[in-house]
Amino acid sequence: MSATAMPHDSGGLQLQTIQNTSLDDARNVASAEQPTPLSRKVILKLLSSGFSFFVAGTIDGSLGPLIPYMLRSYNVGTSFISIIYAASFVGWLLAAAANSHMLQYLDTGAILAIGAVFQLISNVLRFWNPPFGLFATSFFICSMGMGVQDSHSNTFVSTVNGAHRWLGFIHAMYALGALVSPFVATPIASSMQSRWSMFYVFLVGLGVVNVVGVLVAFRGSIRILPKQASTSGDDNAPGRGREALSGMANTLRLRVVWILSLFFFFSLGVGITAGGWVVEYLVDVRHGKLSQVGYTPAGLYGGLFLGRLLLAEPTHRFGERRMILLYCVIILGLQLIFWLVPNIIANATALSLLGFFFGPLFPIGVSVGTKLFPNSVKASALGLVFVMAQAGGSLFPSITGFIASSAGVKVLQPILVGLIVAMGTSWILVPKVPNRSD
């Protein structure tokens, strides 16, 4: 079942509505809550979704190792890197605002293709070492594409059998991309120095494969949706634009959306702040060599990858609420080790273990959200959750950059401790998942 074809929550359907539909439509309504069985076509779509997350991971995972080269190449301070994070946030915000409208006009494949093309364009703008203004703008374009593709890939994956496992898979692919990225970015940047931006040629190649993967896997849904006739016969029924606004309004009224968004706000703030600033921290505070510590984020993302693969099932079986709280406590302990033990090897080890226990937080949070959100607003609700996550992932690294410009990168550690505490506290506020047939 495609994400855009997802019907409204069956709890709100009345018998009269079913009687007014065709026999096929009634059957679709009756079976709408059943997970989509796995088939070759569905598995191909899952693999395409997983690869899109791999591409997103390589994009995000490269920023940390490249920040020192950006600072020196463009001759700017750490506060200027905050512009990149701010541009990324605006891109995610626009993607979230456009989600409801896109659902009214485009089928799933078309939406995913647009997101993939935007990411490809952004990397084409980067590899030739453009002026800083254009370079920062490319992050806006990239985040807009990621916001569109990631949201609807998550929505699609949440409809298949064993969704929690497949969500773990696609988010593990993100971590794998972030793991691979430093091993490609650091050698290119350290050997070419002034031509460090040539790393983005690698991302252009991945972007082409991403676009082709979407066009092949979702070829049956790459289309503009025809305007549906009103079943009530009312010629004055609201248009698609008004329906999109109504759907967004319904999403904004849901308390659970804002509570879960708060958790993601702090969660992604932890992950991106740690991954983005750890290299500069180890160089400036721990006095490590840039060519060596540039690989450190790979330990974080390697832990993320293994955590999402290995912890998804036990987290699901032993209960998401208690397990996520346990992970938050362990993460806090590892962060304190990272802060208080002045040894680069110990820091890298603690960061890798932190990534392992941090890994399942995002996919399990998405899985919980898909069970708490009504089906009628699931795509737009996930889009809002992701933009709030990206808000944290943009805001806190930006704050770190601004403070570090005057107080030094050592402020990274107390900021991370505060974010981890806030993340665990916000998870306590998330409602319990009710027993639902889907």
Side-chain angles (χ1 to χ4, degrees):
M1 182 190 304
S2 66
T4 55
M6 198 177 303
H8 295 292
D9 190 359
S10 60
L13 293 173
Q14 302 297 322
L15 178 61
Q16 184 64 37
T17 304
I18 298 178
Q19 290 175 340
N20 288 337
T21 60
S22 66
L23 179 60
D24 289 340
D25 288 340
R27 286 172 180 167
N28 290 336
V29 170
S31 61
E33 297 299 321
Q34 298 301 319
T36 304
L38 295 178
S39 64
R40 288 185 179 180
K41 290 183 178 180
V42 172
I43 291 176
L44 183 60
K45 292 178 180 179
L46 290 169
L47 293 176
S48 173
S49 299
F51 187 78
S52 72
F53 273 77
F54 175 82
V55 174
T58 58
I59 294 172
D60 287 347
S62 65
L63 189 55
L66 293 179
I67 279 180
Y69 298 95
M70 294 176 191
L71 294 174
R72 291 152 181 79
S73 175
Y74 287 109
N75 195 25
V76 296
T78 55
S79 59
F80 277 80
I81 301 300
S82 302
I83 297 175
I84 291 176
Y85 286 110
S88 298
F89 169 65
V90 174
W92 277 86
L93 182 63
L94 184 58
N99 263 334
S100 293
H101 291 273
M102 296 180 75
L103 286 168
Q104 297 295 324
Y105 294 93
L106 301 172
D107 209 344
T108 305
I111 295 175
L112 296 177
I114 289 173
V117 169
F118 272 46
Q119 292 171 73
L120 175 59
I121 292 172
S122 70
N123 288 308
V124 169
L125 293 175
R126 295 176 187 170
F127 73 86
W128 47 278
N129 199 16
F132 183 78
L134 182 58
F135 183 72
T137 302
S138 72
F139 284 85
F140 161 76
I141 299 171
C142 183
S143 295
M144 193 162 52
M146 289 169 62
V148 169
Q149 190 173 19
D150 289 6
S151 299
H152 293 277
S153 293
N154 269 297
T155 305
F156 164 73
V157 174
S158 70
T159 66
V160 303
N161 270 332
H164 67 281
R165 300 186 190 94
W166 288 107
L167 286 168
F169 163 72
I170 65 171
H171 286 278
M173 290 298 291
Y174 172 90
L176 180 61
L179 169 63
V180 169
S181 195
F183 287 101
V184 181
T186 300
I188 292 176
S190 61
S191 61
M192 303 186 73
Q193 296 293 330
S194 62
R195 297 295 294 165
W196 58 270
S197 59
M198 289 300 294
F199 161 75
Y200 290 107
V201 174
F202 170 67
L203 294 186
V204 169
L206 292 182
V208 171
V209 178
N210 185 25
V211 172
V212 173
V214 170
L215 295 178
V216 172
F218 292 88
R219 59 186 178 275
S221 59
I222 301 177
R223 62 192 178 107
I224 299 175
L225 293 174
K227 185 175 182 180
Q228 296 180 352
S230 173
T231 56
S232 63
D234 183 6
D235 293 334
N236 295 320
R240 290 191 280 189
R242 190 177 299 178
E243 288 181 5
L245 292 175
S246 175
M248 180 56 70
N250 291 335
T251 301
L252 295 175
R253 283 195 288 266
L254 289 173
R255 180 171 174 266
V256 65
V257 172
W258 292 107
I259 293 175
L260 195 61
S261 294
L262 191 64
F263 168 72
F264 280 102
F265 177 71
F266 293 118
S267 177
L268 207 63
V270 171
I272 294 185
T273 302
W277 286 106
V278 63
V279 175
E280 187 68 14
Y281 175 84
L282 292 177
V283 170
D284 186 68
V285 179
R286 300 289 194 242
H287 308 295
K289 292 183 179 179
L290 180 56
S291 60
Q292 296 175 350
V293 299
Y295 297 100
T296 307
L300 172 67
Y301 296 122
L304 277 173
F305 173 66
L306 292 176
R308 288 175 176 178
L309 282 182
L310 302 178
L311 296 180
E313 191 63 28
T315 304
H316 179 75
R317 289 183 178 273
F318 292 108
E320 289 96 343
R321 288 184 63 84
R322 67 170 65 96
M323 294 302 291
I324 294 299
L325 280 176
L326 176 61
Y327 297 153
C328 288
V329 172
I330 295 174
I331 289 168
L332 179 59
L334 291 168
Q335 171 55 35
L336 290 173
I337 293 174
F338 182 27
W339 182 5
L340 301 175
V341 178
N343 181 277
I344 292 180
I345 296 177
N347 293 164
T349 303
L351 196 66
S352 299
L353 291 172
L354 187 152
F356 179 76
F357 291 103
F358 185 82
L361 267 61
F362 202 97
I364 292 298
V366 172
S367 179
V368 168
T370 58
K371 297 171 186 175
L372 291 173
F373 302 152
N375 288 328
S376 58
V377 297
K378 187 179 291 186
S380 58
L382 284 175
L384 180 59
V385 166
F386 293 148
V387 78
M388 288 298 294
Q390 190 61 33
S394 303
L395 176 63
F396 294 113
S398 298
I399 291 174
T400 303
F402 278 118
I403 298 176
S405 63
S406 58
V409 190
K410 60 185 179 181
V411 299
L412 172 68
Q413 301 295 2
I415 288 175
L416 285 177
V417 169
L419 288 176
I420 292 169
V421 172
M423 176 180 69
T425 303
S426 61
W427 179 254
I428 297 174
L429 302 176
V430 175
K432 293 182 178 180
V433 176
N435 293 323
R436 286 176 51 167
S437 60
D438 58 341

